[in-house]
Amino acid sequence: MSNDRPMWIANEHVTASRGAWIDSEDPATEAVIGRVPAGGAADVERAVAAARAASTGWRYTAANDRAELMHEAVARSHAHAGQLVELLTREQGKAKPEQEEEVEWSLTSLRYYAELGRNGSGRVIPSGEPETQLNLVLKEPYGVVGAIVPWNFPLLLLAWKLAPALAAGNTVVIKPSELTSLITLEWIESCFGHFPPGVINVVTGTGVDAGEALVAHPDVRVIAMTGSVPTGQRIASVAAPMMKHLHLELGGKDAFVVGPDADLDSAADALAYSALFNAGQVCTSSERIYVPAAMRDDFAEAVTAKVATLRLGSGLDPAVDIGPMAADRFRDKVDHHIRESVGRGARVLVGGGKPERTGYFYEPTVMVDVDDDHLIMQDETFGPVIPIASYERFDEVIDRVNSHPMGLGACLRSSDPLAIKRFYEHVKAGTIWINDPLTDNYAGPFGGMKLTGGGRELGPEGLETFLETKHVHWDFSQAPKDWWYPY
Ligand code: NAD
């Protein structure tokens, strides 16, 4: 096969020790577009050894020099952006403008952390004996970081780990998703090849084989992972005996609340974006919609009218709004959620099925008469569906938003300051979006509460994750202390 893509360890191509391969498909055509090695424990061992060998050199590379290498990766990525967007679209599926945005966001992350990393870390604190003592709080890199990445934003969610981990002075072993390994290898090889060998390594393979071997490796002190709650729970249990530092960004079931004062047309437009971006395969997709009962019919009509205009097709087609889902099994889950809800009284207003065509497409769908105990309001659907429920009182809806065990984000449409303040103070979620859903700010931490894991990416918090704190208590004299033996 011509498009076999080896792993990348210590700036060299490596095929898996056991010789097996994983196919990568274009979800719009169902064609195999390449293969990556099905790596396992032996390959992880090799990558971690390379990362460990590079670790001391990278830690003592001046922060300014690290920053320049990161900026050079940005320049190389810009020069290569056309190919990156093309392959990202072919392997992952979402519409091209969304892929272009993903590449640019990823580079912003590199730029942001390159600069943040130049600033000093740690502090000097007052000593108990100020004339003869110095007390330092140091922020040190952990050493080797394992970065485990999902397929929905394979470059962005890698960049949110890679950039701060490197800026903090760690070396990194990346385990991309099985679905998006080609684009990960392409980006790292073509744009980060100027880093010293071993600083950045990529091991491909399944989560159970390559992923778990990385989590279990004693020399990997930090696991930074974005993915589903069950995978995060499994990683936590494997890592627990070694007391590893875990940074978990897990699933979401975000609510989108239409306030009683909201303008319905603009709320419908905002919702179509926040629920259907990347075919609904976003951790912060709006998956539970709450609208005042008196406004429900008008709102559902406005949303349906908007969704009916959206064009489904290959992400490479510039006239397309919504691409395919990333794999067939994901649309089966969407279909199951819709059927379960319809079986319990919900109505589909538009969409609700797999179109008759090649590719893993699912029709963007609007539903009403859903209840909070339907699967579609409980389980993460991760697809292009807008299930609309109604509420009577604003207080009641805040309780319903909080009744879900996940707490990633929540959206509100309102201009009523009392309602807004009440919402952001009482909703248990890591990001609250008021009127501008799903917008990130690089200086603002991103992550979830409750079952979503509690890790934070972006902002200074995203750098702190990759730094270990050490207190140095230094007495310049060797004089004995009064409180030593004998008493
Ligand atoms: P997933 O949990 O199936 O896989 C994520 C990564 O973990 C993949 O690289 C996979 O190979 C690896 N993995 C799987 N089993 C493993 C194991 N036992 N040990 C180590 N690694 C293992 O998730 P996915 O389907 O790739 O992504 C979708 C999920 O990610 C959704 O639940 C979504 O909400 C979540 N997500 C969360 C955020 C966030 O910031 N909170 C962002 C994007 C996606």
PDB file of all heavy atoms in Angstrom, residues 148-152 157 175-178 206-208 211-212 215 225-228 231 234-235 249-252 283 380 382 408 446 452, ligand 1:
ATOM      1  N   ILE A 148      -2.714  11.715  25.067  1.00  0.00           N
ATOM      2  CA  ILE A 148      -3.667  10.801  24.408  1.00  0.00           C
ATOM      3  C   ILE A 148      -4.816  11.637  23.863  1.00  0.00           C
ATOM      4  O   ILE A 148      -5.475  12.371  24.607  1.00  0.00           O
ATOM      5  CB  ILE A 148      -4.154   9.720  25.396  1.00  0.00           C
ATOM      6  CG1 ILE A 148      -2.945   8.937  25.910  1.00  0.00           C
ATOM      7  CG2 ILE A 148      -5.173   8.804  24.743  1.00  0.00           C
ATOM      8  CD1 ILE A 148      -3.275   7.830  26.894  1.00  0.00           C
ATOM      9  N   VAL A 149      -5.059  11.530  22.565  1.00  0.00           N
ATOM     10  CA  VAL A 149      -5.858  12.530  21.854  1.00  0.00           C
ATOM     11  C   VAL A 149      -7.052  11.860  21.154  1.00  0.00           C
ATOM     12  O   VAL A 149      -6.901  10.767  20.612  1.00  0.00           O
ATOM     13  CB  VAL A 149      -4.951  13.245  20.809  1.00  0.00           C
ATOM     14  CG1 VAL A 149      -5.677  14.400  20.156  1.00  0.00           C
ATOM     15  CG2 VAL A 149      -3.658  13.728  21.453  1.00  0.00           C
ATOM     16  N   PRO A 150      -8.214  12.525  21.120  1.00  0.00           N
ATOM     17  CA  PRO A 150      -9.359  11.975  20.390  1.00  0.00           C
ATOM     18  C   PRO A 150      -9.345  12.410  18.921  1.00  0.00           C
ATOM     19  O   PRO A 150      -8.449  13.130  18.492  1.00  0.00           O
ATOM     20  CB  PRO A 150     -10.548  12.585  21.131  1.00  0.00           C
ATOM     21  CG  PRO A 150     -10.069  13.939  21.516  1.00  0.00           C
ATOM     22  CD  PRO A 150      -8.580  13.803  21.773  1.00  0.00           C
ATOM     23  N   TRP A 151     -10.383  12.014  18.194  1.00  0.00           N
ATOM     24  CA  TRP A 151     -10.405  12.242  16.747  1.00  0.00           C
ATOM     25  C   TRP A 151     -11.204  13.473  16.359  1.00  0.00           C
ATOM     26  O   TRP A 151     -11.157  13.889  15.201  1.00  0.00           O
ATOM     27  CB  TRP A 151     -11.031  11.016  16.042  1.00  0.00           C
ATOM     28  CG  TRP A 151     -12.320  10.595  16.700  1.00  0.00           C
ATOM     29  CD1 TRP A 151     -12.473   9.624  17.651  1.00  0.00           C
ATOM     30  CD2 TRP A 151     -13.619  11.163  16.510  1.00  0.00           C
ATOM     31  NE1 TRP A 151     -13.785   9.561  18.068  1.00  0.00           N
ATOM     32  CE2 TRP A 151     -14.515  10.494  17.367  1.00  0.00           C
ATOM     33  CE3 TRP A 151     -14.123  12.181  15.687  1.00  0.00           C
ATOM     34  CZ2 TRP A 151     -15.869  10.805  17.443  1.00  0.00           C
ATOM     35  CZ3 TRP A 151     -15.472  12.493  15.758  1.00  0.00           C
ATOM     36  CH2 TRP A 151     -16.323  11.800  16.626  1.00  0.00           C
ATOM     37  N   ASN A 152     -11.970  14.078  17.261  1.00  0.00           N
ATOM     38  CA  ASN A 152     -12.908  15.113  16.783  1.00  0.00           C
ATOM     39  C   ASN A 152     -12.213  16.434  16.444  1.00  0.00           C
ATOM     40  O   ASN A 152     -12.640  17.133  15.531  1.00  0.00           O
ATOM     41  CB  ASN A 152     -14.086  15.298  17.753  1.00  0.00           C
ATOM     42  CG  ASN A 152     -13.679  15.767  19.114  1.00  0.00           C
ATOM     43  OD1 ASN A 152     -12.537  15.586  19.542  1.00  0.00           O
ATOM     44  ND2 ASN A 152     -14.605  16.377  19.826  1.00  0.00           N
ATOM     45  N   LEU A 157      -6.726  19.540  19.879  1.00  0.00           N
ATOM     46  CA  LEU A 157      -6.651  18.964  21.227  1.00  0.00           C
ATOM     47  C   LEU A 157      -5.263  18.395  21.505  1.00  0.00           C
ATOM     48  O   LEU A 157      -4.869  18.257  22.662  1.00  0.00           O
ATOM     49  CB  LEU A 157      -7.761  17.934  21.419  1.00  0.00           C
ATOM     50  CG  LEU A 157      -9.154  18.584  21.319  1.00  0.00           C
ATOM     51  CD1 LEU A 157     -10.258  17.541  21.372  1.00  0.00           C
ATOM     52  CD2 LEU A 157      -9.364  19.625  22.399  1.00  0.00           C
ATOM     53  N   LYS A 175      -0.138   9.725  21.614  1.00  0.00           N
ATOM     54  CA  LYS A 175      -0.909   8.575  21.110  1.00  0.00           C
ATOM     55  C   LYS A 175      -2.169   9.171  20.486  1.00  0.00           C
ATOM     56  O   LYS A 175      -3.124   9.522  21.176  1.00  0.00           O
ATOM     57  CB  LYS A 175      -1.261   7.632  22.269  1.00  0.00           C
ATOM     58  CG  LYS A 175      -1.405   6.174  21.878  1.00  0.00           C
ATOM     59  CD  LYS A 175      -2.425   5.862  20.806  1.00  0.00           C
ATOM     60  CE  LYS A 175      -3.833   5.789  21.342  1.00  0.00           C
ATOM     61  NZ  LYS A 175      -4.841   5.626  20.246  1.00  0.00           N
ATOM     62  N   PRO A 176      -2.171   9.298  19.132  1.00  0.00           N
ATOM     63  CA  PRO A 176      -3.366   9.864  18.487  1.00  0.00           C
ATOM     64  C   PRO A 176      -4.495   8.845  18.447  1.00  0.00           C
ATOM     65  O   PRO A 176      -4.283   7.653  18.684  1.00  0.00           O
ATOM     66  CB  PRO A 176      -2.875  10.174  17.070  1.00  0.00           C
ATOM     67  CG  PRO A 176      -1.731   9.245  16.835  1.00  0.00           C
ATOM     68  CD  PRO A 176      -1.118   8.934  18.179  1.00  0.00           C
ATOM     69  N   SER A 177      -5.684   9.328  18.116  1.00  0.00           N
ATOM     70  CA  SER A 177      -6.797   8.401  17.901  1.00  0.00           C
ATOM     71  C   SER A 177      -6.491   7.515  16.690  1.00  0.00           C
ATOM     72  O   SER A 177      -5.854   7.952  15.730  1.00  0.00           O
ATOM     73  CB  SER A 177      -8.082   9.185  17.654  1.00  0.00           C
ATOM     74  OG  SER A 177      -9.068   8.337  17.115  1.00  0.00           O
ATOM     75  N   GLU A 178      -6.999   6.305  16.721  1.00  0.00           N
ATOM     76  CA  GLU A 178      -6.870   5.378  15.594  1.00  0.00           C
ATOM     77  C   GLU A 178      -7.477   5.987  14.333  1.00  0.00           C
ATOM     78  O   GLU A 178      -7.077   5.658  13.216  1.00  0.00           O
ATOM     79  CB  GLU A 178      -7.606   4.061  15.874  1.00  0.00           C
ATOM     80  CG  GLU A 178      -7.175   3.320  17.106  1.00  0.00           C
ATOM     81  CD  GLU A 178      -7.856   3.808  18.387  1.00  0.00           C
ATOM     82  OE1 GLU A 178      -7.817   5.016  18.702  1.00  0.00           O
ATOM     83  OE2 GLU A 178      -8.421   2.963  19.096  1.00  0.00           O
ATOM     84  N   THR A 206      -4.091   1.133  18.896  1.00  0.00           N
ATOM     85  CA  THR A 206      -5.386   1.241  19.570  1.00  0.00           C
ATOM     86  C   THR A 206      -5.191   1.768  20.989  1.00  0.00           C
ATOM     87  O   THR A 206      -4.087   1.745  21.543  1.00  0.00           O
ATOM     88  CB  THR A 206      -6.071  -0.136  19.663  1.00  0.00           C
ATOM     89  OG1 THR A 206      -5.274  -0.956  20.517  1.00  0.00           O
ATOM     90  CG2 THR A 206      -6.241  -0.781  18.301  1.00  0.00           C
ATOM     91  N   GLY A 207      -6.308   2.199  21.574  1.00  0.00           N
ATOM     92  CA  GLY A 207      -6.251   2.667  22.955  1.00  0.00           C
ATOM     93  C   GLY A 207      -5.869   1.546  23.895  1.00  0.00           C
ATOM     94  O   GLY A 207      -5.050   1.724  24.806  1.00  0.00           O
ATOM     95  N   VAL A 208      -6.430   0.379  23.659  1.00  0.00           N
ATOM     96  CA  VAL A 208      -6.191  -0.750  24.563  1.00  0.00           C
ATOM     97  C   VAL A 208      -4.719  -1.183  24.516  1.00  0.00           C
ATOM     98  O   VAL A 208      -4.138  -1.526  25.551  1.00  0.00           O
ATOM     99  CB  VAL A 208      -7.124  -1.926  24.175  1.00  0.00           C
ATOM    100  CG1 VAL A 208      -6.773  -3.184  24.934  1.00  0.00           C
ATOM    101  CG2 VAL A 208      -8.567  -1.524  24.417  1.00  0.00           C
ATOM    102  N   GLY A 211      -2.305   2.893  23.856  1.00  0.00           N
ATOM    103  CA  GLY A 211      -2.726   3.880  24.855  1.00  0.00           C
ATOM    104  C   GLY A 211      -2.474   3.378  26.267  1.00  0.00           C
ATOM    105  O   GLY A 211      -1.879   4.068  27.099  1.00  0.00           O
ATOM    106  N   GLU A 212      -2.916   2.168  26.516  1.00  0.00           N
ATOM    107  CA  GLU A 212      -2.795   1.662  27.892  1.00  0.00           C
ATOM    108  C   GLU A 212      -1.332   1.398  28.269  1.00  0.00           C
ATOM    109  O   GLU A 212      -0.938   1.587  29.426  1.00  0.00           O
ATOM    110  CB  GLU A 212      -3.658   0.408  28.060  1.00  0.00           C
ATOM    111  CG  GLU A 212      -4.137   0.303  29.461  1.00  0.00           C
ATOM    112  CD  GLU A 212      -5.437  -0.479  29.627  1.00  0.00           C
ATOM    113  OE1 GLU A 212      -6.437  -0.156  28.967  1.00  0.00           O
ATOM    114  OE2 GLU A 212      -5.424  -1.401  30.437  1.00  0.00           O
ATOM    115  N   VAL A 215      -0.027   4.670  29.407  1.00  0.00           N
ATOM    116  CA  VAL A 215      -0.521   5.019  30.750  1.00  0.00           C
ATOM    117  C   VAL A 215       0.227   4.203  31.811  1.00  0.00           C
ATOM    118  O   VAL A 215       0.550   4.709  32.887  1.00  0.00           O
ATOM    119  CB  VAL A 215      -2.042   4.766  30.847  1.00  0.00           C
ATOM    120  CG1 VAL A 215      -2.546   5.017  32.263  1.00  0.00           C
ATOM    121  CG2 VAL A 215      -2.798   5.637  29.841  1.00  0.00           C
ATOM    122  N   MET A 225      -5.058  13.517  28.746  1.00  0.00           N
ATOM    123  CA  MET A 225      -5.938  12.783  27.828  1.00  0.00           C
ATOM    124  C   MET A 225      -7.254  13.519  27.628  1.00  0.00           C
ATOM    125  O   MET A 225      -7.837  14.049  28.572  1.00  0.00           O
ATOM    126  CB  MET A 225      -6.186  11.392  28.411  1.00  0.00           C
ATOM    127  CG  MET A 225      -7.164  10.545  27.652  1.00  0.00           C
ATOM    128  SD  MET A 225      -8.856  10.780  28.303  1.00  0.00           S
ATOM    129  CE  MET A 225      -9.744   9.496  27.456  1.00  0.00           C
ATOM    130  N   THR A 226      -7.701  13.571  26.382  1.00  0.00           N
ATOM    131  CA  THR A 226      -9.057  14.023  26.084  1.00  0.00           C
ATOM    132  C   THR A 226      -9.790  12.850  25.461  1.00  0.00           C
ATOM    133  O   THR A 226      -9.272  12.204  24.545  1.00  0.00           O
ATOM    134  CB  THR A 226      -9.047  15.214  25.099  1.00  0.00           C
ATOM    135  OG1 THR A 226      -8.311  16.282  25.681  1.00  0.00           O
ATOM    136  CG2 THR A 226     -10.466  15.676  24.810  1.00  0.00           C
ATOM    137  N   GLY A 227     -10.989  12.585  25.965  1.00  0.00           N
ATOM    138  CA  GLY A 227     -11.758  11.465  25.413  1.00  0.00           C
ATOM    139  C   GLY A 227     -13.018  11.244  26.227  1.00  0.00           C
ATOM    140  O   GLY A 227     -13.492  12.144  26.934  1.00  0.00           O
ATOM    141  N   SER A 228     -13.536  10.041  26.138  1.00  0.00           N
ATOM    142  CA  SER A 228     -14.829   9.749  26.772  1.00  0.00           C
ATOM    143  C   SER A 228     -14.662   9.460  28.271  1.00  0.00           C
ATOM    144  O   SER A 228     -13.555   9.145  28.736  1.00  0.00           O
ATOM    145  CB  SER A 228     -15.460   8.539  26.086  1.00  0.00           C
ATOM    146  OG  SER A 228     -14.630   7.420  26.272  1.00  0.00           O
ATOM    147  N   THR A 231     -13.275   5.877  29.047  1.00  0.00           N
ATOM    148  CA  THR A 231     -11.824   5.765  28.816  1.00  0.00           C
ATOM    149  C   THR A 231     -11.062   6.484  29.931  1.00  0.00           C
ATOM    150  O   THR A 231     -10.054   5.980  30.438  1.00  0.00           O
ATOM    151  CB  THR A 231     -11.440   6.352  27.436  1.00  0.00           C
ATOM    152  OG1 THR A 231     -12.193   5.690  26.428  1.00  0.00           O
ATOM    153  CG2 THR A 231      -9.970   6.179  27.143  1.00  0.00           C
ATOM    154  N   ARG A 234     -11.005   4.329  32.956  1.00  0.00           N
ATOM    155  CA  ARG A 234     -10.062   3.214  32.793  1.00  0.00           C
ATOM    156  C   ARG A 234      -8.619   3.718  33.004  1.00  0.00           C
ATOM    157  O   ARG A 234      -7.827   3.091  33.706  1.00  0.00           O
ATOM    158  CB  ARG A 234     -10.243   2.603  31.387  1.00  0.00           C
ATOM    159  CG  ARG A 234      -9.240   1.562  31.001  1.00  0.00           C
ATOM    160  CD  ARG A 234      -9.405   0.275  31.799  1.00  0.00           C
ATOM    161  NE  ARG A 234      -8.259  -0.608  31.614  1.00  0.00           N
ATOM    162  CZ  ARG A 234      -7.892  -1.547  32.469  1.00  0.00           C
ATOM    163  NH1 ARG A 234      -8.577  -1.749  33.579  1.00  0.00           N
ATOM    164  NH2 ARG A 234      -6.844  -2.296  32.229  1.00  0.00           N
ATOM    165  N   ILE A 235      -8.303   4.845  32.400  1.00  0.00           N
ATOM    166  CA  ILE A 235      -6.950   5.408  32.541  1.00  0.00           C
ATOM    167  C   ILE A 235      -6.666   5.719  34.011  1.00  0.00           C
ATOM    168  O   ILE A 235      -5.581   5.417  34.528  1.00  0.00           O
ATOM    169  CB  ILE A 235      -6.812   6.665  31.651  1.00  0.00           C
ATOM    170  CG1 ILE A 235      -6.718   6.241  30.183  1.00  0.00           C
ATOM    171  CG2 ILE A 235      -5.612   7.519  32.055  1.00  0.00           C
ATOM    172  CD1 ILE A 235      -6.723   7.377  29.176  1.00  0.00           C
ATOM    173  N   GLU A 249      -9.743  15.403  30.250  1.00  0.00           N
ATOM    174  CA  GLU A 249     -10.776  16.272  29.655  1.00  0.00           C
ATOM    175  C   GLU A 249     -11.799  15.330  29.041  1.00  0.00           C
ATOM    176  O   GLU A 249     -11.590  14.827  27.938  1.00  0.00           O
ATOM    177  CB  GLU A 249     -10.169  17.130  28.543  1.00  0.00           C
ATOM    178  CG  GLU A 249      -9.145  18.132  28.997  1.00  0.00           C
ATOM    179  CD  GLU A 249      -9.782  19.368  29.608  1.00  0.00           C
ATOM    180  OE1 GLU A 249     -11.007  19.524  29.515  1.00  0.00           O
ATOM    181  OE2 GLU A 249      -9.034  20.148  30.187  1.00  0.00           O
ATOM    182  N   LEU A 250     -12.879  15.084  29.746  1.00  0.00           N
ATOM    183  CA  LEU A 250     -13.776  14.003  29.320  1.00  0.00           C
ATOM    184  C   LEU A 250     -15.071  14.544  28.712  1.00  0.00           C
ATOM    185  O   LEU A 250     -15.164  15.701  28.355  1.00  0.00           O
ATOM    186  CB  LEU A 250     -14.019  13.079  30.509  1.00  0.00           C
ATOM    187  CG  LEU A 250     -12.708  12.579  31.168  1.00  0.00           C
ATOM    188  CD1 LEU A 250     -13.005  11.686  32.348  1.00  0.00           C
ATOM    189  CD2 LEU A 250     -11.807  11.879  30.161  1.00  0.00           C
ATOM    190  N   GLY A 251     -16.046  13.674  28.593  1.00  0.00           N
ATOM    191  CA  GLY A 251     -17.244  13.976  27.810  1.00  0.00           C
ATOM    192  C   GLY A 251     -18.112  15.080  28.388  1.00  0.00           C
ATOM    193  O   GLY A 251     -17.940  15.529  29.523  1.00  0.00           O
ATOM    194  N   GLY A 252     -19.051  15.511  27.560  1.00  0.00           N
ATOM    195  CA  GLY A 252     -19.981  16.555  27.983  1.00  0.00           C
ATOM    196  C   GLY A 252     -21.405  16.231  27.546  1.00  0.00           C
ATOM    197  O   GLY A 252     -21.638  15.351  26.715  1.00  0.00           O
ATOM    198  N   CYS A 283     -17.184  18.138  22.117  1.00  0.00           N
ATOM    199  CA  CYS A 283     -17.458  17.828  23.525  1.00  0.00           C
ATOM    200  C   CYS A 283     -18.419  18.846  24.125  1.00  0.00           C
ATOM    201  O   CYS A 283     -19.191  18.528  25.024  1.00  0.00           O
ATOM    202  CB  CYS A 283     -16.163  17.779  24.310  1.00  0.00           C
ATOM    203  SG  CYS A 283     -15.156  19.256  24.092  1.00  0.00           S
ATOM    204  N   GLU A 380     -24.234  10.852  26.170  1.00  0.00           N
ATOM    205  CA  GLU A 380     -23.634  11.752  25.184  1.00  0.00           C
ATOM    206  C   GLU A 380     -23.949  11.221  23.778  1.00  0.00           C
ATOM    207  O   GLU A 380     -23.543  10.117  23.424  1.00  0.00           O
ATOM    208  CB  GLU A 380     -22.121  11.821  25.409  1.00  0.00           C
ATOM    209  CG  GLU A 380     -21.442  12.923  24.628  1.00  0.00           C
ATOM    210  CD  GLU A 380     -19.934  12.999  24.908  1.00  0.00           C
ATOM    211  OE1 GLU A 380     -19.329  11.979  25.293  1.00  0.00           O
ATOM    212  OE2 GLU A 380     -19.367  14.084  24.717  1.00  0.00           O
ATOM    213  N   PHE A 382     -23.282  12.892  20.720  1.00  0.00           N
ATOM    214  CA  PHE A 382     -22.122  13.205  19.870  1.00  0.00           C
ATOM    215  C   PHE A 382     -22.476  13.112  18.391  1.00  0.00           C
ATOM    216  O   PHE A 382     -21.770  12.503  17.585  1.00  0.00           O
ATOM    217  CB  PHE A 382     -20.964  12.268  20.207  1.00  0.00           C
ATOM    218  CG  PHE A 382     -19.648  12.985  20.352  1.00  0.00           C
ATOM    219  CD1 PHE A 382     -19.509  14.022  21.252  1.00  0.00           C
ATOM    220  CD2 PHE A 382     -18.533  12.627  19.596  1.00  0.00           C
ATOM    221  CE1 PHE A 382     -18.305  14.698  21.390  1.00  0.00           C
ATOM    222  CE2 PHE A 382     -17.320  13.291  19.723  1.00  0.00           C
ATOM    223  CZ  PHE A 382     -17.213  14.330  20.624  1.00  0.00           C
ATOM    224  N   LEU A 408     -19.323  19.986  31.577  1.00  0.00           N
ATOM    225  CA  LEU A 408     -18.304  20.632  30.742  1.00  0.00           C
ATOM    226  C   LEU A 408     -18.659  22.104  30.492  1.00  0.00           C
ATOM    227  O   LEU A 408     -17.993  23.002  30.971  1.00  0.00           O
ATOM    228  CB  LEU A 408     -18.137  19.857  29.424  1.00  0.00           C
ATOM    229  CG  LEU A 408     -17.024  20.346  28.504  1.00  0.00           C
ATOM    230  CD1 LEU A 408     -15.699  20.475  29.213  1.00  0.00           C
ATOM    231  CD2 LEU A 408     -16.884  19.420  27.299  1.00  0.00           C
ATOM    232  N   PHE A 446     -10.074  26.132  29.925  1.00  0.00           N
ATOM    233  CA  PHE A 446     -11.155  25.332  29.364  1.00  0.00           C
ATOM    234  C   PHE A 446     -11.113  23.950  30.018  1.00  0.00           C
ATOM    235  O   PHE A 446     -10.060  23.324  30.080  1.00  0.00           O
ATOM    236  CB  PHE A 446     -10.957  25.192  27.848  1.00  0.00           C
ATOM    237  CG  PHE A 446     -11.957  24.286  27.189  1.00  0.00           C
ATOM    238  CD1 PHE A 446     -13.173  24.796  26.745  1.00  0.00           C
ATOM    239  CD2 PHE A 446     -11.707  22.934  27.041  1.00  0.00           C
ATOM    240  CE1 PHE A 446     -14.110  23.972  26.148  1.00  0.00           C
ATOM    241  CE2 PHE A 446     -12.642  22.093  26.447  1.00  0.00           C
ATOM    242  CZ  PHE A 446     -13.848  22.617  26.003  1.00  0.00           C
ATOM    243  N   THR A 452     -16.847  15.127  34.061  1.00  0.00           N
ATOM    244  CA  THR A 452     -16.024  15.549  32.916  1.00  0.00           C
ATOM    245  C   THR A 452     -14.543  15.557  33.266  1.00  0.00           C
ATOM    246  O   THR A 452     -13.701  15.589  32.375  1.00  0.00           O
ATOM    247  CB  THR A 452     -16.523  16.925  32.397  1.00  0.00           C
ATOM    248  OG1 THR A 452     -17.886  16.772  32.022  1.00  0.00           O
ATOM    249  CG2 THR A 452     -15.746  17.403  31.210  1.00  0.00           C
TER     250      THR A 452
HETATM  251  P1  NAD B   1     -12.184   7.763  23.366  1.00  0.00           P
HETATM  252  O1  NAD B   1     -12.282   7.829  24.831  1.00  0.00           O
HETATM  253  O2  NAD B   1     -12.739   6.579  22.669  1.00  0.00           O
HETATM  254  O3  NAD B   1     -10.654   7.840  22.896  1.00  0.00           O
HETATM  255  C1  NAD B   1      -9.819   8.937  23.218  1.00  0.00           C
HETATM  256  C2  NAD B   1      -8.372   8.482  23.127  1.00  0.00           C
HETATM  257  O4  NAD B   1      -8.132   7.529  24.178  1.00  0.00           O
HETATM  258  C3  NAD B   1      -8.016   7.761  21.819  1.00  0.00           C
HETATM  259  O5  NAD B   1      -6.713   8.117  21.420  1.00  0.00           O
HETATM  260  C4  NAD B   1      -8.071   6.294  22.224  1.00  0.00           C
HETATM  261  O6  NAD B   1      -7.282   5.461  21.409  1.00  0.00           O
HETATM  262  C5  NAD B   1      -7.523   6.361  23.634  1.00  0.00           C
HETATM  263  N1  NAD B   1      -7.880   5.219  24.478  1.00  0.00           N
HETATM  264  C6  NAD B   1      -8.986   4.433  24.402  1.00  0.00           C
HETATM  265  N2  NAD B   1      -8.933   3.479  25.363  1.00  0.00           N
HETATM  266  C7  NAD B   1      -7.797   3.676  26.067  1.00  0.00           C
HETATM  267  C8  NAD B   1      -7.190   3.023  27.177  1.00  0.00           C
HETATM  268  N3  NAD B   1      -7.754   1.962  27.754  1.00  0.00           N
HETATM  269  N4  NAD B   1      -6.017   3.504  27.634  1.00  0.00           N
HETATM  270  C9  NAD B   1      -5.433   4.579  27.064  1.00  0.00           C
HETATM  271  N5  NAD B   1      -5.941   5.236  25.996  1.00  0.00           N
HETATM  272  C10 NAD B   1      -7.119   4.790  25.508  1.00  0.00           C
HETATM  273  O7  NAD B   1     -12.821   9.102  22.809  1.00  0.00           O
HETATM  274  P2  NAD B   1     -13.074   9.530  21.301  1.00  0.00           P
HETATM  275  O8  NAD B   1     -14.211   8.744  20.746  1.00  0.00           O
HETATM  276  O9  NAD B   1     -11.781   9.530  20.564  1.00  0.00           O
HETATM  277  O10 NAD B   1     -13.522  11.061  21.493  1.00  0.00           O
HETATM  278  C11 NAD B   1     -14.811  11.434  21.801  1.00  0.00           C
HETATM  279  C12 NAD B   1     -14.947  11.703  23.290  1.00  0.00           C
HETATM  280  O11 NAD B   1     -14.019  12.710  23.676  1.00  0.00           O
HETATM  281  C13 NAD B   1     -16.311  12.252  23.655  1.00  0.00           C
HETATM  282  O12 NAD B   1     -16.740  11.667  24.855  1.00  0.00           O
HETATM  283  C14 NAD B   1     -16.042  13.737  23.854  1.00  0.00           C
HETATM  284  O13 NAD B   1     -16.944  14.404  24.687  1.00  0.00           O
HETATM  285  C15 NAD B   1     -14.682  13.710  24.446  1.00  0.00           C
HETATM  286  N6  NAD B   1     -14.043  15.006  24.262  1.00  0.00           N
HETATM  287  C16 NAD B   1     -13.851  15.789  25.369  1.00  0.00           C
HETATM  288  C17 NAD B   1     -13.277  17.054  25.221  1.00  0.00           C
HETATM  289  C18 NAD B   1     -13.010  17.945  26.415  1.00  0.00           C
HETATM  290  O14 NAD B   1     -12.279  18.912  26.273  1.00  0.00           O
HETATM  291  N7  NAD B   1     -13.577  17.682  27.589  1.00  0.00           N
HETATM  292  C19 NAD B   1     -12.921  17.498  23.950  1.00  0.00           C
HETATM  293  C20 NAD B   1     -13.144  16.671  22.858  1.00  0.00           C
HETATM  294  C21 NAD B   1     -13.689  15.414  23.024  1.00  0.00           C
END
